[in-house]
Amino acid sequence: MSVLVYTEHREGVFSKTAFEAVSYGKALAEQLNTNLTALSIGNVEESELKKLGQYGADKVLTTSHEKLSDFVNQAYAAVIYEAAKQEDAEYIVLSNSFSGKGLAPRVATKLKAALADGVTELGKIEGGTFSVKKSVFSNKAFATDVLTSPIKVISVVPNSISIKESLTDVDVESFSPELPENAFSVLVKEVIRDTGKVSLPEASIIVSAGRGLKGPENWQMIEDLAEVLGAATACSKPVSDAGWRPHAEHVGQTGIAVSPDLYIAIGISGAIQHLAGVSSSKVIVVINKDPEAPFFKVADYGIVGDAFEIVPKLTEALKAFKS
Amino acid sequence: MKILVCISQVPDTTSKIRFIDDNKHFNTEGIQYIINPYDELALSRAVEIEGADITVINVGKADTEASLRKALAVGAAKAIRVDAEPRDAWFVAHQIAEYVKNNPFDLILCGKESIDYNGAQVPAMIAGLLDFPSVSICRKLDLEDGKALIEQEIEGGKEVLSADLPLVIGAAEGIAEVKIPNMRGIMSARSKPLETIEPIDVPQLSHIESYESPQPREAVTLIEANNLDELIAQLHNKSKVI
């Protein structure tokens, strides 16, 4: 028996979410008094792989078949399945990232395992069952999910689990499972990254703006504030519907749900659908000229006033603070 | 091209979410149901595809038939209702995969997730059960020479994919504009076939024990617009987020 964690990397570098997943797996392994194996797929240098030991992995399996250089969920799920069998894994932990969403259900299906998706806290192990609280109804409520199958798959929401160091002497082993022929019928033709921008689901600070900004030409001050904070930018639904900003920035019930440490909402009134997507933020700051805006009811800090005056001043004040 | 569109119905996005029976069950009183918005996007994309023969499927009891009729009005040719409570994603995915095993399709279009349980599990589970390729967050879908050309969202960007059929797609914003049924569609939907089939048995692997509502946040601390240093001090010293 063991705990297996699948660790995502981007061009050979592990992201924070990988360390979060390992920290989560370590906590499970400690409760179960068992070993933690981390699995990495694709080309990653040994020195980078060894970093997984800092968070508690006893062993790292690394697969660097050339066919696996691009993420294809069907193929990656097959590798995770083989690793789970080899390691006799009872728990498989992965990140509920965009790629994780395509992967976790496939892994669960192959292993006939129950899947707890969108997990934001450590669960409770009682005998063979695992119970955990997760958000449902687009963050308007929580449910306690009880997993009763022998094998369990857990997908952890990025930025919700704190990274915990747990220095472990780690072994790196190469792993070369057989790859099913038909697992490569999706071909990655091109990957386009928004260079120099912080990715929204992983961001610990988000600066978000709404219709109060009056038009896409006024977004520079949002970008400037985001830059000084090292934050990602986001927007409300009317803004992406109007084409002022890309759909990928739409936060809310029908967009992306986020859980940053700090969410700064500028010129967003706070419709129930938007609030659903941001309610698990740790701290919410609202800047709005309408003191009756519903967003103030869920905010930790509020400033009533004109965003066009406040935002540039806030950026300057933060620059002064940071230096 | 034979296309299966999978829909579920969910509480309207303005719904207040409350629970009954000692927080064991969702309180459906006064709840208006709608087709899951992402499923509506999937259906809207399907009806744009030239020569598409569209079947719409839903796992639900008879009260979900209004949603299926709406899907027929938007442009599906035929509707299937698997007569069962949609217990969880595992159950629903098995029902749909079973239907596809007996009735082959070139393309299976789902919403990327439902807005009630937000699991985003069903599309990849259907694909897993059928051993089909799948794309989870599809913002653009074109069909060309028997292949699908796709733009999928990834962290901090997008990727362009080419995929073989049959294929399972999770539809996200951008894939299509939502289609509203017109009067002719609504009239013709009445005479289109809506078939009810029995569910297959699926072992239960998990269950929801109870629900809870989020804790209300503490009252807002208002800060004067000319005192931004105070905000920065609070965020740094008290909240420790910057």
Side-chain angles (χ1 to χ4, degrees), chain B residues 189-203:
Chain B
R190 291 182 189 166
S191 56
K192 287 178 179 173
L194 192 165
E195 193 186 320
T196 304
I197 59 174
E198 287 304 308
I200 55 164
D201 278 338
V202 180

Side-chain angles (χ1 to χ4, degrees), chain B residues 10-22:
Chain B
V10 295
D12 180 326
T13 57
T14 58
S15 302
K16 288 248 189 290
I17 305 299
R18 287 168 305 202
F19 303 99
I20 47 169
D21 304 335
D22 204 16

